[in-house]
């Protein structure tokens, strides 16, 4: 592990100036502690805590990949890989008022379908609502979905999209990594799909290590050679 | 050093029957991530006592009416496997298990940040696989590890150990045999990082001075137990390092 | 499975503020200081059919204890001892939050804490309860009936159990040639033999304050509670932390000191009630 980086466990003392996601840092007044396992990165005397764990808690504006798990009278229930089940209304999906006499919900979305949607509202007191009104949103009709720990998504994307762009370029896959830990892949063939999945799973396992981009790149190139891509 | 009923619990040199010093714990073994399905899991052994714990959640509770509007509901079940004791234990929950489930839940409530997940449930299942004394404190230790392994936000980790009073002497981490002859058994659970005792019971007769001395013994031991928990949790990541 | 209570009354923030500002001045809503229990009233012999009984009023909390003594078989590992069993019922008439049904975790915990506090120090002389060793012994049932809940069920229940046991009489019996034993309830062999007297002292932790004998309102605003069982020699004969918070080492020490002091008040109440009786 690089100098200035260390793994920390819940309850351990961190300097009071440590920054990081609020939900995962406990403020004890004179000191702070991580609420989950994570990494503390010390740079130029500043401490940053990066959690290695945590469930996905929706935030307004997030683009998520949801799984349709149930159907209500005017809405679908959507699993967004979170403790909170999301709701997508038929009216939103259609972009016009819903008429149960003429519109057949089950023809629009079926249980088991994936949708790419945006969190419209959520405040923890009510279930999050989703919208598919926006560019690139709606039912996912092709490709594969890979699930990873939501806390790994930032690393899979990388700084300024460096990691995800590299995998894309090397494999030729179109990749979308949603914050809720679901990654949508559209690949030219099965081999490149497998390679992209192997790369993503490697990042999930080794998120906290340094020099990861290089190692992932090497893995992809070796796999390409083996598979003759 | 024999008692009037002829049972001796200390050797001539002052050590206990299994060779431990009065302030020595049994060998401790901890492992996390032992179950595939659970969000977090742990196996903890204190000597021959073996306890498995699993955590599911935060998730939407099946019975919606138990949801609390401003925090998660913590649900804890302490249960002994039928084969965990010398004589088979009926798998139906006993009054003892009902009480201990509550005592352990109340020892976890101060450290789990339940207010981060309103209306959800966090479930902790503790199965005693082999009982040889100290099952509730071993269960608490396993629960703490399983919660951390599940990534449930925590104020601090907790650990537990029991102190016994045998022939007027305080001894750490009593096993089942010692407990049978003990004048008192004092299980303690604590979160050393935030200086809180979160599980505390006394079964037996002690003076105030003995209680405080025993509590200090337990707290010192729990410090070590919690440090071990941290190492075990981190080792998962340290191993993956290149 | 034990669950975070989800049917708890909502505590108005201002109510807590009111209580806390009184504690700061060393007093409480009912004008008690922080370390004195409420008024204790003990009435014994309230149920004729029971071998011993007592109604305890601790402020507005009321607990009725009945002692029934039956013939039964001893446990295999203690053939030369009688049996003591404590049971608690939170009857639905006592509180809007009590539901009919089998005892919940709170009732079970209450019964087990009272049971252990009696058992560990040997309050009831179990060896005096043998009829035929290994075969027939007296079984002493202590049934606790919480009939009005205004906080601190532990101390009220323990006082009721103790007063009922202290006034309980062991029935006489006749042994037939067949070995059968008939209990003669209208005759008595004399009082039940007891070796010790035990009371519990419950304190609540509210912020930085430790208060003795909390009312229901005080329990609702409290962070946690500690029940300390004390015998007549001032020894600690049982302890249970109850509730959702933790204690620092210093708070534990403070709780022990306060509890040992307050126990004297309960002992005096018991003594006076029993002296009146007899």
């Amino acid at each position: 592990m690089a100098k200035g980086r260390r793994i920390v466990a819940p309850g351990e003392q961190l300097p009071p100036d440590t920054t990081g996601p609020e939900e995962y840092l406990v403020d004890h007044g004179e000191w702070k502690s991580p609420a989950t396992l994570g990494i503390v990165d010390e740079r130029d005397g500043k401490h940053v805590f990066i959690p290695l764990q945590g469930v996905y808690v929706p935030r307004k504006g997030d683009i998520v990949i949801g799984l349709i798990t149930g159907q209500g009278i005017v809405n679908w229930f959507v699993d967004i890989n979170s403790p909170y089940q999301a709701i997508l209304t038929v009216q939103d999906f259609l972009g016009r008022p819903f008429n149960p006499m003429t519109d057949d919900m089950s023809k629009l979305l079926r249980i088991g379908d994936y949708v790419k949607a945006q969190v419209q509202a959520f405040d923890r007191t009510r279930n999050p609502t989703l919208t598919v009104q926006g560019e690139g949103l709606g039912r996912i009709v092709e490709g594969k979905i890979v699930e990873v720990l939501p806390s790994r998504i930032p690393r899979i994307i990388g700084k300024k999209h460096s990691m995800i762009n590299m995998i894309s370029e090397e494999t030729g896959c179109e990749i979308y990594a949603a914050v809720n830990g679901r990654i949508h892949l559209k690949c030219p063939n099965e081999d490149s799909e497998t390679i992209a999945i192997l790369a993503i799973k490697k990042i999930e396992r080794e998120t906290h290590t340094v020099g990861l981009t290089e190692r992932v790149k090497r893995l992809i190139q070796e796999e390409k050679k083996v598979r003759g891509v | 050093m024999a008692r009037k009923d002829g049972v001796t619990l200390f050797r001539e040199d002052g050590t206990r029957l299994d060779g431990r010093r009065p302030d020595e714990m049994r060998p401790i073994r901890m492992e996390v991530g032992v179950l595939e399905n659970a969000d977090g899991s742990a196996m903890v052994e204190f000597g021959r006592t073996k306890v498995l714990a699993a955590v599911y959640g935060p998730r939407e509770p099946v019975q919606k009416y138990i949801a609390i509007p401003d925090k998660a509901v913590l649900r804890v079940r302490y249960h002994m496997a039928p084969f965990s004791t010398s004589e088979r234990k009926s798998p139906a929950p006993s009054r003892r298990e009902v009480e201990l489930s509550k005592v352990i839940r109340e020892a976890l409530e101060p450290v789990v940040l339940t207010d981060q997940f309103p209306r959800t449930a966090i479930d902790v299942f503790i199965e005693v696989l082999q009982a040889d004394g100290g099952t509730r404190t071993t269960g608490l230790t396993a629960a703490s590890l399983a919660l951390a392994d599940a990534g449930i936000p925590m104020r601090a980790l907790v650990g537990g150990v029991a102190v016994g009073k045998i022939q007027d002497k305080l001894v750490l981490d009593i096993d089942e045999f010692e407990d049978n002859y003990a004048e008192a058994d004092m299980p303690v659970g604590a979160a050393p990082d935030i200086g809180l005792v979160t599980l505390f019971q006394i079964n037996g007769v002690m003076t105030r001075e003995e209680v405080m001395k025993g509590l200090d013994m337990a707290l010192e031991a729990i410090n070590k137990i919690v440090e071990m928990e941290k190492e075990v949790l981190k080792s998962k990541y340290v191993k993956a390092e290149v | 499975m034990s669950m975070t209570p989800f049917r708890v009354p909502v505590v108005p923030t201002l109510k807590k503020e009111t209580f806390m500002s009184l504690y700061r001045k060393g007093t409480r809503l009912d004008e008690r200081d922080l370390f004195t229990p409420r008024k204790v009233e003990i009435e014994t012999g309230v149920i004729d059919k029971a071998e011993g009984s007592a109604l305890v009023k601790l402020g507005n909390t009321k607990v009725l204890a009945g002692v029934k003594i039956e013939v039964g078989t001893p446990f295999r590992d203690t053939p030369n001892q009688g049996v003591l069993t404590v049971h608690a019922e939170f009857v639905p008439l006592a509180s809007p939050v009590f539901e009919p049904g089998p005892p919940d975790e709170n009732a079970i915990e209450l019964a087990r804490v009272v049971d252990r506090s009696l058992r560990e120090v040997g309050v009831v002389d179990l060896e005096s309860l043998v009829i035929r060793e290994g075969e027939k012994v007296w079984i002493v049932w202590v049934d606790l009936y919480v009939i009005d809940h205004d906080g601190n069920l532990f101390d009220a229940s323990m006082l009721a159990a103790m007063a009922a046991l202290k006034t309980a009489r062991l029935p006489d019996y006749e042994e037939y040639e067949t070995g059968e034993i008939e209990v003669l309830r209208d005759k008595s062999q004399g009082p039940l033999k007891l070796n010790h007297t035990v009371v519990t002292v419950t304190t609540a932790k509210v912020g930085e304050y430790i208060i003795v004998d909390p009312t229901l309102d005080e329990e609702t605003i409290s962070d946690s509670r500690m029940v300390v069982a004390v015998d007549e020699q001032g020894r600690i004969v049982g302890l249970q932390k109850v509730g959702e918070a933790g204690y620092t080492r210093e708070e534990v020490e403070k709780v022990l000191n306060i509890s040992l002091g307050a126990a004297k008040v309960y002992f005096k109440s018991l003594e006076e009630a029993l002296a009146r009786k007899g």
Side-chain angles (χ1 to χ4, degrees):
Chain A
M1 179 153 289
K3 234 181 127 188
R5 265 189 147 208
R6 61 190 171 100
I7 301 174
V8 289
E12 279 185 45
Q13 282 211 16
L14 301 178
D17 63 357
T18 310
T19 55
E22 225 178 280
E23 314 92 86
Y24 295 107
L25 267 177
V26 187
D27 196 341
H28 301 272
E30 290 179 4
W31 54 289
K32 286 184 180 173
S33 70
T36 61
L37 274 170
I39 302 165
V40 169
D41 216 339
E42 191 185 342
R43 258 179 231 167
D44 315 320
K46 282 185 190 140
H47 298 84
V48 182
F49 172 66
I50 307 149
L52 284 167
Q53 291 173 306
V55 296
Y56 170 65
V57 174
R59 249 182 292 219
K60 191 183 168 180
D62 284 353
I63 307 281
V64 296
I65 293 174
L67 175 67
I68 306 295
T69 55
Q71 188 177 310
I73 298 166
V74 294
N75 64 276
W76 291 279
F77 297 105
V78 191
D79 165 14
I80 53 167
N81 192 28
S82 162
Y84 303 97
Q85 189 179 47
I87 284 164
L88 174 65
T89 63
V90 187
Q91 180 163 344
D92 179 274
F93 187 84
L94 290 169
R96 60 165 170 82
F98 168 53
N99 181 352
M101 301 297 284
T102 53
D103 298 315
D104 182 359
M105 271 179 85
S106 56
K107 288 222 171 94
L108 303 170
L109 279 176
R110 283 171 174 274
I111 288 168
D113 279 351
Y114 279 110
V115 287
K116 192 168 163 186
Q118 186 169 33
V119 177
Q120 202 169 27
F122 181 58
D123 60 3
R124 296 193 195 210
T125 59
R126 260 179 234 160
N127 284 39
T129 52
L130 301 177
T131 175
V132 292
Q133 295 302 318
E135 214 194 313
L137 304 181
R139 188 164 86 93
I140 295 176
V141 289
E142 53 173 336
K144 283 264 166 71
I145 302 287
V146 182
E147 289 205 5
V148 296
L149 295 170
S151 60
R152 305 299 198 265
I153 292 292
R155 192 72 189 89
I156 287 166
I157 293 172
K159 275 197 193 103
K160 293 180 183 153
H161 292 75
S162 55
M163 184 74 91
I164 201 166
N165 286 348
M166 183 270 286
I167 305 172
S168 240
E169 277 160 28
E170 291 286 335
T171 59
C173 297
E174 214 179 291
I175 307 171
Y176 185 81
V179 278
N180 63 329
R182 291 202 179 119
I183 301 169
H184 181 209
L185 300 167
K186 270 191 281 184
C187 298
N189 54 56
E190 271 190 14
D191 277 326
S192 34
E193 190 178 273
T194 311
I195 297 170
I197 294 172
L198 286 174
I200 288 166
K201 285 291 169 185
K202 186 178 178 70
I203 306 168
E204 185 185 25
R205 272 195 314 274
E206 301 177 16
T207 299
H208 59 292
T209 61
V210 286
L212 186 57
T213 316
E214 273 314 301
R215 271 179 286 124
V216 172
K217 195 167 186 172
R218 225 180 301 139
L219 170 93
I220 296 174
Q221 284 164 353
E222 277 164 24
E223 287 291 332
K224 272 160 78 176
K225 242 182 264 167
V226 174
R227 286 160 202 273
V229 177
Chain B
M1 288 221 206
R3 285 161 42 116
K4 58 173 183 281
D5 55 10
V7 178
T8 307
L9 291 152
F10 293 100
R11 296 172 175 174
E12 291 298 319
D13 63 357
T15 60
R16 292 143 78 177
L17 292 186
D18 58 3
R20 284 188 285 156
R21 293 186 313 274
D23 63 348
E24 194 176 336
M25 289 188 277
R26 290 172 285 183
I28 302 171
R29 215 180 68 83
M30 297 178 185
E31 198 182 339
V32 291
V34 292
L35 300 178
E36 189 55 41
N37 265 322
D39 293 316
S41 59
M43 171 82 138
V44 176
E45 299 177 20
F46 274 64
R48 290 168 68 203
T49 291
K50 286 185 214 289
V51 182
L52 184 61
V55 168
Y56 283 87
R59 57 182 178 184
E60 279 193 25
V62 180
Q63 311 110 300
K64 295 272 192 299
Y65 66 90
I66 68 159
I68 302 175
D70 58 355
K71 62 177 180 181
V73 45
L74 192 60
R75 298 193 288 189
V76 176
R77 187 175 99 131
Y78 163 96
H79 185 250
M80 291 177 97
F83 45 76
S84 64
T85 46
S86 314
E87 258 180 63
R88 179 176 183 270
K89 189 217 152 270
S90 156
S94 63
R95 289 162 66 87
R96 177 178 172 276
E97 288 167 299
V98 171
E99 183 199 342
L100 293 189
S101 297
K102 179 176 189 278
V103 165
I104 295 173
R105 176 179 60 77
E106 290 177 340
L108 293 169
E109 297 266 9
V111 295
V112 179
L113 296 168
T114 51
D115 49 357
Q116 289 202 10
F117 303 102
R119 301 183 299 121
T120 66
I122 298 168
D123 294 336
V124 182
F125 301 114
I126 300 166
E127 288 291 335
V128 177
L129 302 183
Q130 182 161 280
D132 190 40
T135 59
R136 79 195 70 179
T137 47
T138 307
L140 177 67
T141 308
S144 167
L145 277 171
L147 282 162
D149 185 46
I152 307 285
M154 293 168 87
R155 202 166 276 123
L157 298 172
V158 283
V161 74
V163 167
K165 179 180 159 189
I166 305 171
Q167 292 171 241
D168 280 323
K169 274 202 198 73
L170 294 175
V171 294
L172 190 61
D173 186 23
I174 54 171
D175 62 24
E176 190 179 76
F177 183 79
E178 289 176 320
D179 193 19
N180 285 339
Y181 295 96
E183 290 106 73
D185 162 36
M186 183 172 93
V188 180
D193 289 310
I194 51 172
L196 284 184
V197 176
T198 69
L199 184 153
F200 195 25
Q201 292 180 292
I202 297 173
N203 315 312
V205 184
M206 291 171 100
T207 64
R208 176 178 48 182
E209 290 67 31
E210 285 168 340
V211 172
M212 289 316 293
K213 203 179 149 211
L215 181 61
D216 287 337
M217 263 173 103
L219 290 178
E220 204 188 313
I222 292 168
N223 226 339
K224 291 180 196 149
I225 294 167
V226 169
E227 287 311 308
M228 248 186 106
E229 287 183 35
K230 288 177 189 168
E231 287 316 306
V232 169
L233 287 165
K234 288 183 200 173
S235 66
K236 197 164 144 184
Y237 292 96
V238 175
K239 261 186 254 150
E241 261 179 64
V242 181
Chain C
M1 190 144 69
S2 176
M3 274 185 229
T4 310
F6 52 88
R7 276 191 59 192
V8 288
V10 172
V11 185
T13 319
L14 284 178
K15 194 181 211 172
K16 185 162 182 172
E17 289 297 316
T18 311
F19 281 63
M20 294 293 277
S21 71
L22 286 170
Y23 297 159
R24 265 191 289 278
K25 292 182 204 112
T27 180
R28 300 204 242 178
L29 216 55
D30 51 12
E31 295 177 352
R32 279 188 288 161
D33 67 33
L34 307 193
F35 309 122
T36 307
R38 289 168 286 181
K39 189 174 170 224
V40 182
E41 288 174 62
I42 302 172
E43 200 184 326
T44 56
V46 288
I47 307 290
D48 286 345
K49 287 208 167 177
E51 274 69 60
S53 64
L55 174 66
V56 167
K57 294 179 193 164
L58 180 60
N60 294 322
T61 289
K62 294 180 193 71
V63 176
L64 181 60
V67 172
K68 289 298 294 175
I69 303 177
E70 314 267 348
V71 175
T73 44
F75 289 118
R76 237 184 310 159
D77 51 347
T78 50
N80 58 344
Q81 288 184 2
V83 176
L84 171 73
T85 305
V86 181
H87 195 87
E89 289 277 341
F90 288 8
V91 259
L93 58 79
S95 158
V97 300
F98 291 172
E99 293 278 344
D104 68 356
E105 61 176 25
N106 297 304
I108 288 174
E109 184 181 39
L110 172 75
R112 287 179 55 85
V113 168
V114 171
D115 184 297
R116 287 197 293 266
S117 306
L118 290 170
R119 185 181 306 280
E120 294 288 347
V121 70
V123 167
V124 178
D125 187 347
L126 296 178
E127 278 162 28
S128 71
L129 298 175
V130 179
I131 300 169
R132 272 204 312 268
E133 192 173 315
E135 285 177 43
K136 295 282 179 209
V137 294
W138 292 108
I139 298 181
V140 179
W141 297 88
V142 178
D143 280 288
L144 298 164
Y145 240 52
V146 173
I147 54 177
D148 209 351
H149 179 13
D150 189 31
N152 198 2
L153 299 179
F154 283 96
D155 297 1
S157 300
M158 192 70 213
L159 283 169
M162 207 61 238
L165 285 168
K166 278 195 175 266
T167 51
R169 301 187 72 80
L170 196 59
D172 209 344
Y173 65 93
E174 203 174 317
E175 195 170 353
Y176 295 109
E177 279 170 21
T178 55
E180 209 181 310
I181 284 165
E182 191 192 354
V183 181
L184 307 171
R185 292 205 188 269
D186 38 9
K187 279 198 225 156
S188 160
Q189 302 183 53
L192 186 66
K193 195 177 167 211
L194 304 184
N195 293 326
H196 294 280
T197 307
V198 170
V199 298
T200 60
V201 177
T202 299
T203 52
K205 174 183 158 173
V206 190
E208 67 265 42
Y209 298 99
I210 303 288
I211 56 165
V212 168
D213 179 28
T215 62
L216 186 57
D217 270 348
E218 288 176 319
E219 279 186 3
T220 328
I221 61 156
S222 73
D223 306 310
S224 233
R225 280 172 286 155
M226 194 98 82
V227 185
V228 181
V230 182
D231 76 353
E232 74 285 350
Q233 299 166 33
R235 296 180 300 180
I236 291 159
V237 299
L239 183 147
Q240 182 103 333
K241 181 218 132 194
V242 181
E244 258 93 85
Y247 285 80
T248 64
R249 185 197 176 279
E250 287 63 39
E251 282 169 340
V252 170
E253 197 163 25
K254 195 172 163 193
V255 164
L256 295 182
N257 292 338
I258 291 171
S259 302
L260 289 168
K264 292 181 188 128
V265 180
Y266 287 144
F267 278 116
K268 196 157 164 264
S269 307
L270 257 179
E271 212 174 284
E272 281 170 5
L274 297 168
R276 255 200 325 274
K277 182 80 182 174

